[in-house]
Amino acid sequence: MKQIRLILLILLMMSLLSACWKSDNSEKPIETSLENQTKGQTEVSSTMTNITDYQNSNERFSYLKQLSLEKQEAFNRFTIERDLQELNKFTPEDMVLVYLYCISIGDPDLIYEITYDGGYLPNKDVFREDYFDYVMIHDLERAIQYRYFDSIKVEESTAEENQVTVLITVVLESSTYSLALGLKKEDQIWKLDIYHSIKEYKNKALKNKDVID
């Protein structure tokens, strides 16, 4: 009997509270002043700005995005059409950024296209196989190391008309690291002179394999 009374009492109190709540709400005017509307719009605008800033600050790094928009578009056309003339306005520094971008996406076929031939470059299949087997891991480490580079420039003291060295430098605390990459102009396009280093990695790996065997 006591339990029934307690339940009825609780139900009665809930009913009274509900009635009071409806009464209070019906008497309160809704604020629709221009001042409040403007305040709300400002708060929404501020929030959206903060979200945009947050997204920009957390945007993934890309070597390609270090180029101008015009050159990004030219390079994208090149990846589709494989027409090297799309790159004829690219400076040696631009081509180094393109090279590091190709490394970061793991595309040896694109690297092959921008590698200086000089009459000694093998066919694409051999190049791809050698790159995957002997160079890819090392190149990825370099691409990661220099992704927040402090400077990239041609070493003017050794520059020639159709041959230059580009230095890309990153400063970490009290240490400075620099990567020197040679480029040569071929068919009016600056290309990376890197195949000799690929052969060096391959020869070293084969020698180590012979020693182990």
Side-chain angles (χ1 to χ4, degrees):
M1 188 71 177
K2 290 182 179 180
Q3 291 180 346
I4 295 175
R5 288 179 180 177
L6 181 61
I7 292 171
L8 291 173
L9 180 61
I10 292 172
L11 291 174
L12 179 61
M13 291 177 65
M14 290 178 64
S15 177
L16 290 172
L17 288 172
S18 176
C20 290
W21 182 82
K22 289 179 180 179
S23 176
D24 287 343
N25 275 307
S26 64
E27 294 174 1
K28 291 181 180 178
I30 299 174
E31 296 178 350
T32 57
S33 67
L34 179 61
E35 179 182 353
N36 286 319
Q37 290 180 8
T38 304
K39 180 181 178 182
Q41 292 171 354
T42 302
E43 289 174 350
V44 171
S45 177
S46 177
T47 301
M48 292 303 295
T49 300
N50 290 337
I51 291 172
T52 302
D53 290 343
Y54 175 81
Q55 290 173 336
N56 290 338
S57 65
N58 287 273
E59 186 176 4
R60 290 184 178 181
F61 175 84
S62 171
Y63 281 106
L64 192 62
K65 291 181 180 179
Q66 310 311 304
L67 301 173
S68 67
L69 184 59
E70 179 183 359
K71 289 182 177 178
Q72 289 181 47
E73 293 172 348
F75 179 76
N76 287 330
R77 289 194 299 270
F78 163 71
T79 62
I80 297 171
E81 302 168 4
R82 299 303 169 99
D83 181 5
L84 281 168
Q85 291 307 307
E86 293 286 354
L87 309 180
N88 62 2
K89 294 182 180 180
F90 282 49
T91 66
E93 296 95 329
D94 294 334
M95 292 304 296
V96 167
L97 293 173
V98 165
Y99 169 59
L100 291 169
Y101 170 76
C102 293
I103 291 173
S104 67
I105 63 172
D107 194 330
D109 289 344
L110 280 177
I111 295 174
Y112 182 84
E113 297 288 346
I114 61 172
T115 297
Y116 177 75
D117 186 341
Y120 60 81
L121 198 63
N123 64 55
K124 186 179 293 186
D125 291 336
V126 173
F127 181 92
R128 185 192 302 112
E129 184 178 350
D130 287 348
Y131 185 82
F132 276 130
D133 289 346
Y134 307 109
V135 185
M136 184 176 68
I137 294 176
H138 176 75
D139 270 3
L140 283 172
E141 290 174 350
R142 292 201 300 186
I144 292 171
Q145 181 180 1
Y146 289 93
R147 69 191 184 281
Y148 298 127
F149 62 91
D150 291 277
S151 66
I152 180 170
K153 60 183 179 180
V154 170
E155 190 176 9
E156 298 292 348
S157 61
T158 60
E160 300 179 12
E161 183 179 358
N162 295 314
Q163 182 174 334
V164 298
T165 298
V166 172
L167 289 176
I168 182 167
T169 302
V170 60
V171 178
L172 181 61
E173 298 296 342
S174 59
S175 300
T176 300
Y177 302 90
S178 292
L179 172 64
L181 291 168
L183 295 93
K184 292 182 179 179
K185 188 172 281 189
E186 189 171 55
D187 299 327
Q188 303 305 308
I189 308 295
W190 285 108
K191 294 185 179 182
L192 280 297
D193 187 19
I194 56 170
Y195 187 63
H196 60 88
S197 64
I198 294 177
K199 290 194 297 183
E200 288 175 5
Y201 282 117
K202 180 178 180 178
N203 292 336
K204 183 177 180 180
L206 293 176
K207 287 180 180 179
N208 290 337
K209 184 176 181 298
D210 289 339
V211 170
I212 294 174
D213 293 341

